Amino acid sequence: MHDILERFLFDHAAVRGESVVLRDSYAEVLARHPYPPVLARLLGELLAAGQLLEATLKFDGTMILQLHGKGQLKMAVVEITSQKTLRATARWEGEIPDVSLAELLGQGGRFVITIDPDQGEPYQGIVGFEKGESVATIIEHYMQRSAQIDTRLWLACDGKIASGLMLQRMPLEGGSGAEDEDAWPRVQKLAETTTSEELLTLPPRDLLHRLFHQEPVRMFDPATPVFKCTCSRERVGSMMEMVGREEIDSVLAERGQVEIVCDFCGKHYHFDKVDVAQLFAGQGVQAGGSALQ
């Protein structure tokens, strides 16, 4: 079973949904850093949730999910694009035991979702969370409060596969779906019978048939999420310009070169004195240099 994202719609109900399984792309994320098991599973859940949410948005651009905290987990970031590419990373301190999300983040933990369209201004929403909440419940509450969309989410991750199922209630505005107002509580009850084992082992269409075989469900063409990092020598150069010439020169004086490692994919970018001089002279970065895995 390879990476797959399935979209579906209930023909006689104002309910839509998505199901996702991530294997290869998730493995690519984990190959970049030696994540503790609890963080590996957390990133998997965030990746699955991000793919499910992005599939409901009609825009070209990037969606970023972030968890910030003051505990051992400082930050977890997932980026999903409208091209179905993904990447993720996390920063933490010390050895992390298998504890709850609230314990990982400590006091003041927050969830941030950013929508960054290719055209137009970015939108950002920030929510805190309560003890006992999971990635799924945080996103459910966020969608209800910020977008006023009833959303249910089921996520599973075992460190090798990340998967999820999402249902959303659409507004009853007449036409298709308007005749079955009891559909939302009914399909929720059906979805609640799923198990983590089923989410991780069943192909999405088999899972949907198991859950909703008595409902008229319309399937759409599946998509294949893939790992892809958007870092580049040019983007790193732009970041260095934002840091400023004085600080960059101090690094050059101390080390003889500037080395920057991408947190998402692990590539190393090196800039010597000539590269830095050209960059701050407005000539951009040269195609040379190195970007080593």
Side-chain angles (χ1 to χ4, degrees), residues 14 16 22 24 46 108 120 134 140 158 173 213 231 240 288:
R16 64 187 178 192
L22 303 175
D24 296 339
L46 284 170
S134 64
E140 288 174 354
D158 63 0
E173 297 178 350
H213 61 274
C231 72
M240 290 168 58

Side-chain angles (χ1 to χ4, degrees), residues 51 65 114:
Q51 284 291 348
L65 305 182
T114 304

Side-chain angles (χ1 to χ4, degrees), residues 193-250:
T193 66
T194 191
T195 65
S196 294
E197 182 179 359
E198 288 177 328
L199 286 169
L200 294 170
T201 59
L202 291 180
R205 294 204 177 197
D206 291 353
L207 175 65
L208 296 179
H209 177 74
R210 208 285 285 168
L211 295 174
F212 308 121
H213 61 274
Q214 294 182 329
E215 302 285 335
V217 177
R218 187 190 321 168
M219 305 295 301
F220 296 88
D221 291 338
T224 304
V226 296
F227 173 85
K228 183 179 180 181
C229 190
T230 56
C231 72
S232 67
R233 191 168 172 81
E234 290 73 21
R235 289 192 174 194
V236 173
S238 297
M239 181 188 69
M240 290 168 58
E241 289 182 295
M242 294 176 62
V243 171
R245 182 66 184 267
E246 183 177 351
E247 186 168 343
I248 296 299
D249 280 345
S250 69

Side-chain angles (χ1 to χ4, degrees), residues 15-32:
V15 181
R16 64 187 178 192
E18 287 84 30
S19 181
V20 68
V21 174
L22 303 175
R23 182 190 295 271
D24 296 339
S25 58
Y26 176 47
E28 290 278 2
V29 169
L30 297 187
R32 267 58 189 182

Side-chain angles (χ1 to χ4, degrees), residues 1-56:
M1 182 169 55
H2 298 290
D3 295 24
I4 186 169
L5 174 70
E6 294 274 12
R7 296 175 56 240
F8 58 94
L9 183 70
F10 291 85
D11 278 338
H12 303 301
V15 181
R16 64 187 178 192
E18 287 84 30
S19 181
V20 68
V21 174
L22 303 175
R23 182 190 295 271
D24 296 339
S25 58
Y26 176 47
E28 290 278 2
V29 169
L30 297 187
R32 267 58 189 182
H33 295 287
Y35 293 109
V38 65
L39 292 191
R41 295 193 299 270
L42 174 61
L43 285 177
E45 290 188 5
L46 284 170
L47 285 164
Q51 284 291 348
L52 294 170
L53 283 176
E54 190 282 326
T56 70

Side-chain angles (χ1 to χ4, degrees), residues 36-220:
V38 65
L39 292 191
R41 295 193 299 270
L42 174 61
L43 285 177
E45 290 188 5
L46 284 170
L47 285 164
Q51 284 291 348
L52 294 170
L53 283 176
E54 190 282 326
T56 70
L57 303 176
K58 297 180 179 179
F59 82 107
D60 292 326
T62 303
M63 181 178 67
I64 305 169
L65 305 182
Q66 300 178 69
L67 287 170
H68 293 272
K70 298 179 180 178
Q72 285 184 278
L73 176 60
K74 304 304 179 183
M75 180 181 67
V77 182
V78 163
E79 290 189 10
I80 308 290
T81 73
S82 52
Q83 302 302 311
K84 301 298 182 289
T85 67
L86 60 84
R87 63 179 189 166
T89 190
R91 294 180 182 175
W92 71 96
E93 289 183 352
E95 295 185 8
I96 298 182
D98 193 353
V99 296
S100 68
L101 181 57
E103 290 175 291
L104 282 174
L105 293 170
Q107 280 193 321
R110 57 197 176 98
F111 171 72
V112 182
I113 181 169
T114 304
I115 307 298
D116 188 7
D118 294 337
Q119 304 292 329
E121 295 296 320
Y123 165 80
Q124 188 173 83
I126 303 174
V127 295
F129 61 92
E130 299 175 1
K131 184 177 180 180
E133 285 193 308
S134 64
V135 171
T137 55
I138 291 170
I139 292 176
E140 288 174 354
H141 295 160
Y142 170 82
M143 294 300 293
Q144 179 60 52
R145 297 168 187 169
S146 300
Q148 286 78 55
I149 299 176
D150 289 331
T151 302
R152 292 296 310 278
L153 197 60
W154 293 266
L155 301 171
C157 183
D158 63 0
K160 295 181 179 179
I161 301 173
S163 61
L165 171 69
M166 184 171 70
L167 298 175
Q168 286 190 327
R169 185 180 188 181
M170 297 184 292
L172 289 172
E173 297 178 350
S176 177
E179 63 271 23
D180 190 353
E181 297 185 12
D182 294 328
W184 178 240
R186 186 173 67 250
V187 298
Q188 284 186 84
K189 288 186 179 298
L190 292 172
E192 286 169 356
T193 66
T194 191
T195 65
S196 294
E197 182 179 359
E198 288 177 328
L199 286 169
L200 294 170
T201 59
L202 291 180
R205 294 204 177 197
D206 291 353
L207 175 65
L208 296 179
H209 177 74
R210 208 285 285 168
L211 295 174
F212 308 121
H213 61 274
Q214 294 182 329
E215 302 285 335
V217 177
R218 187 190 321 168
M219 305 295 301
F220 296 88

